[in-house]
Amino acid sequence: MKNRTFLILATIGIFIFGFSAFDLDDQLQKIIKNNNLDRITQIPEIDSNKVELGRLLFFDKLLSGNKDISCATCHHPKFASADGLPLSIGVGGTGLGNIRKMGVDRDRVPRNAPEIFNRGSEEWHTMFWDSRVSGSVEEGFDTPADEKLPDGLENILAVQALFPPTSRDEMRGEIGDTTVTGEVNEIALISPAVPQMVWHRLMMRIMKYPKYQELFAKVYPDIKQEDLGFQHAANAIAAFEIKEFTFNDSPWDQYIGGDNEAIAEEVKRGALLFYGKANCSTCHSGKLMTDQKAHNIGVPQLGPGKDDTEDIDVGRYIFTGEKEHHFAFRTPPLKNVTLTGPWMHNGAYNSLRDAILH
C-alpha cells in the first residue's frame, strides 16, 4: 500500500506542461517553504492490546443490528480502506467491494465510503462528507448527538466511530428486521432520538463474549465491566485505525523530506501546477491536502440522496441551514487518491482524470 501511495499531481502533470526542467526543484522548495508543507506527524506508540481490541471490533459484524455488516465492510484494507463502490451497500447486503450485492427492499447508502487514511493526525478536526462531526478533545465536539455524546472519547476518530451503528441504512437496520441468526433486531427498535441506548445495547452484545471481556479488562483495567460504554469500544476502534492506516512515507512525503529523486520530473511539473496556476491547493492544502471546509463544486446528483423529502443531497446544508452550504461537501484529502475511486462525495466519477476535469 505505502509503495503505491500517490497523489493527483502526476495526473495533472501528464497533460499540462510549461516549466523548464533544471529549476523544478528550486521552484518546488520555495513552494514547500511558503506553504509550510511538512510530512504527516508521526503517531505516538499505541497499546498493542488496544489495537487488537479495535481490530476485532472493526471486523466484527456484531456491531450491526442484523449482525451482517462491520466497519470493515465499507472500509476494507483490500479496497484502500474504502469499498470501491460509488455508493456503499449497507445493512442487508452480502459480499465485499464491487461484487457486493444489495439486500431485498434496501437502498444504497447515500454517500461514497471515504478512505480513512491519516484520520488520527493531529490536524484532523472534521469527520464525514458533511463535517457533521467536528472539534477536538480540548475544545469539545460538535455532533448530531449534542449533549447525548458520551464522555471519555479520546479523539475525533473515536467520535466518528459512534455514528455508523446508529444509521439505519449503514448498520442499524429497519424495524422488523431479523439478525442473520434469526433473532429480532433489537437495535432497530430503538428510537433515533436516543442514540445512547443503541450504544448501550451494542455493548451488552459485545460483553457477552469472554474474548471481549478479557481484552476490555486488559485495555481498561481501572474500569469495572458494568461501567464500560461504547465510547471505550470506539476508542479502541480508533486506535486500530490510527495504527494501521496512518502513513507519512509517500513519494511526496519523501520529497518534502529532502529526497529530490523521490518523484519523477512530470510529477514535479504537476506539483508546480497544483500549487500554482491550477489552484488545486486552494482547497487541497496543508499536510493532509484538504482544508476540511465545505464547498459546492457542482458534482452531479447520484443515488437516493440524503434528504428524506427529496431525492437529492444538499450536503452540509442539512446540518447548518446556511445558504453557502447548499450542496457543499468537505474537500477530500488526496493521499493514496489513485487507489480510492470512484471519486467525489457520491462516487460520480470512475476516472480520476474526469474528476480533475470537473
Side-chain angles (χ1 to χ4, degrees):
M1 176 72 70
K2 293 181 178 178
N3 293 332
R4 296 183 61 199
T5 297
F6 214 60
L7 317 169
I8 223 166
L9 308 180
T11 310
I12 296 175
I14 288 171
F15 59 89
I16 310 178
F17 296 92
F19 303 101
S20 58
F22 69 91
D23 64 348
L24 286 175
D25 291 322
D26 287 343
Q27 293 182 63
L28 279 177
Q29 288 306 317
K30 289 178 183 176
I31 286 172
I32 289 169
K33 182 179 180 180
N34 291 340
N35 287 273
N36 296 313
L37 298 178
D38 200 358
R39 297 172 76 145
I40 300 291
T41 307
Q42 283 282 43
I43 60 171
E45 198 62 35
I46 304 175
D47 174 22
S48 60
N49 287 318
K50 195 172 193 176
V51 172
E52 175 61 8
L53 173 58
R55 183 187 69 82
L56 291 175
L57 291 167
F58 187 82
F59 285 92
D60 201 333
K61 296 178 180 180
L62 199 65
L63 270 62
S64 64
N66 290 353
K67 302 180 183 179
D68 65 352
I69 186 171
S70 69
C71 305
T73 304
C74 296
H75 300 286
H76 203 282
K78 286 184 178 180
F79 303 99
S81 77
D83 60 10
L85 297 171
L87 299 171
S88 294
I89 296 173
V91 67
T94 55
L96 283 175
N98 57 12
I99 63 169
R100 185 163 172 77
K101 295 181 180 179
M102 193 96 68
V104 178
D105 295 327
R106 307 285 176 172
D107 209 341
R108 294 265 180 172
V109 175
R111 291 180 184 155
N112 175 263
E115 45 68 43
I116 53 175
F117 296 116
N118 299 315
R119 293 305 195 272
S121 170
E122 62 187 17
E123 292 83 17
W124 267 109
H125 55 82
T126 63
M127 289 287 165
F128 298 107
W129 281 106
D130 50 27
S131 299
R132 62 184 180 274
V133 167
S134 62
S136 65
V137 172
E138 295 76 20
E139 298 178 3
F141 297 106
D142 184 13
T143 79
D146 296 323
E147 73 283 352
K148 296 165 186 171
L149 194 73
D151 294 329
L153 291 155
E154 295 175 348
N155 49 55
I156 193 169
L157 189 52
V159 178
Q160 183 277 334
L162 294 175
F163 290 96
T166 69
S167 168
R168 289 203 181 277
D169 52 5
E170 290 184 50
M171 296 183 77
R172 186 150 75 103
E174 300 289 343
I175 294 174
D177 280 357
T178 55
T179 70
V180 292
T181 48
E183 306 100 340
V184 172
N185 176 351
E186 81 284 12
I187 307 296
L189 299 175
I190 301 167
S191 166
V194 284
Q196 65 271 35
M197 184 56 67
V198 172
W199 300 322
H200 174 68
R201 290 286 180 85
L202 287 173
M203 278 304 288
M204 289 176 63
R205 278 187 178 186
I206 292 167
M207 297 309 291
K208 288 179 180 179
Y209 293 87
K211 179 65 174 178
Y212 279 130
Q213 293 172 15
E214 176 187 343
L215 271 174
F216 271 99
K218 287 182 179 179
V219 176
Y220 303 104
D222 299 327
I223 302 177
K224 295 179 181 178
Q225 181 174 316
E226 59 267 26
D227 294 332
L228 289 166
F230 195 69
Q231 67 269 34
H232 299 105
N235 287 335
I237 292 171
F240 166 74
E241 292 181 84
I242 291 169
K243 178 68 175 177
E244 296 303 322
F245 296 106
T246 298
F247 66 95
N248 71 341
D249 63 348
S250 72
W252 179 242
D253 290 312
Q254 294 170 32
Y255 185 81
I256 289 175
D259 182 359
N260 287 351
E261 304 303 315
I263 58 177
E265 182 177 310
E266 67 178 6
V267 179
K268 295 175 184 179
R269 295 180 185 278
L272 288 177
L273 284 162
F274 185 94
Y275 289 101
K277 292 180 181 179
N279 291 322
C280 306
S281 64
T282 302
C283 299
H284 295 284
S285 56
K287 293 180 183 181
L288 301 168
M289 295 191 145
T290 169
D291 59 5
Q292 298 186 66
K293 295 179 180 177
H295 303 280
N296 178 358
I297 63 169
V299 175
Q301 174 65 38
L302 181 69
K306 193 77 173 178
D307 192 316
D308 292 335
T309 61
E310 298 182 75
D311 290 336
I312 57 173
D313 192 337
V314 294
R316 182 146 176 75
Y317 178 83
I318 294 174
F319 295 95
T320 68
E322 297 177 11
K323 187 176 180 180
E324 62 267 30
H325 289 151
H326 220 201
F327 301 105
F329 299 87
R330 187 189 63 193
T331 306
L334 299 183
K335 295 299 183 75
N336 258 343
V337 70
T338 58
L339 303 176
T340 57
W343 295 273
M344 304 299 183
H345 71 274
N346 54 10
Y349 294 105
N350 286 318
S351 158
L352 186 54
R353 187 178 188 277
D354 288 344
I356 295 170
L357 289 174
H358 175 91

